[in-house]
Amino acid sequence: MWCSLKIVFTGGDIAKQMLKETKKFIKVEKSWAKIMIHASECRIVVDSCADELLRSSLPTMYSELEKCSMSLEGYLEQKQNVFPRFYFVSNAKLLVIGIRFSCNK
């Protein structure tokens, strides 16, 4: 889930149009980076996984990613309502089209 959202929320037109979700995604990404830095400094996997902050933050981070994903699906549905021919195109293909379009601007 994170990989597909990263492409959408790290630049381009969709990220600019969905500022609230973009901010949520960036916050989750920064939190994940902090967790990974702590894990690399710890060097002992069991100790790193036993961290209470990690156990409490991962479900919250996942929930935020799910919210971003649901908002993105709503955004794509709005676009499909404006352009009915897009109903025959999967959301994944729509994202590829949108990303390519914003890169060509």
Side-chain angles (χ1 to χ4, degrees):
M1 177 187 337
W2 176 80
C3 290
S4 60
L5 292 176
K6 181 173 176 64
I7 294 168
V8 173
F9 290 118
T10 55
D13 290 338
I14 297 174
K16 292 176 186 172
Q17 293 176 23
M18 300 180 70
L19 292 176
K20 181 180 164 187
E21 288 77 14
T22 301
K23 288 178 184 178
K24 277 185 195 178
F25 181 81
I26 290 170
K27 182 180 175 185
V28 169
E29 191 172 35
K30 286 181 181 179
S31 296
W32 179 252
K34 288 179 185 176
I35 289 171
M36 291 296 100
I37 288 170
H38 174 70
S40 69
E41 290 171 351
C42 189
R43 300 268 185 201
I44 300 173
V45 175
V46 175
D47 291 344
S48 180
C49 292
D51 185 8
E52 187 59 40
L53 181 61
L54 176 68
R55 282 191 262 169
S56 65
S57 63
L58 285 180
T60 304
M61 291 168 58
Y62 185 76
S63 173
E64 291 298 313
L65 288 178
E66 283 183 324
K67 289 176 187 175
C68 291
S69 180
M70 296 298 289
S71 295
L72 181 59
E73 287 180 24
Y75 171 83
L76 293 174
E77 188 175 317
Q78 288 176 344
K79 295 302 177 186
Q80 288 172 331
N81 289 334
V82 174
F83 303 102
R85 63 187 170 271
F86 286 146
Y87 275 110
F88 302 105
V89 180
S90 70
N91 284 351
K93 293 288 184 186
L94 278 177
L95 289 174
V96 170
I97 292 167
I99 291 166
R100 285 186 184 164
F101 177 75
S102 65
C103 288
N104 289 332
K105 279 189 169 182

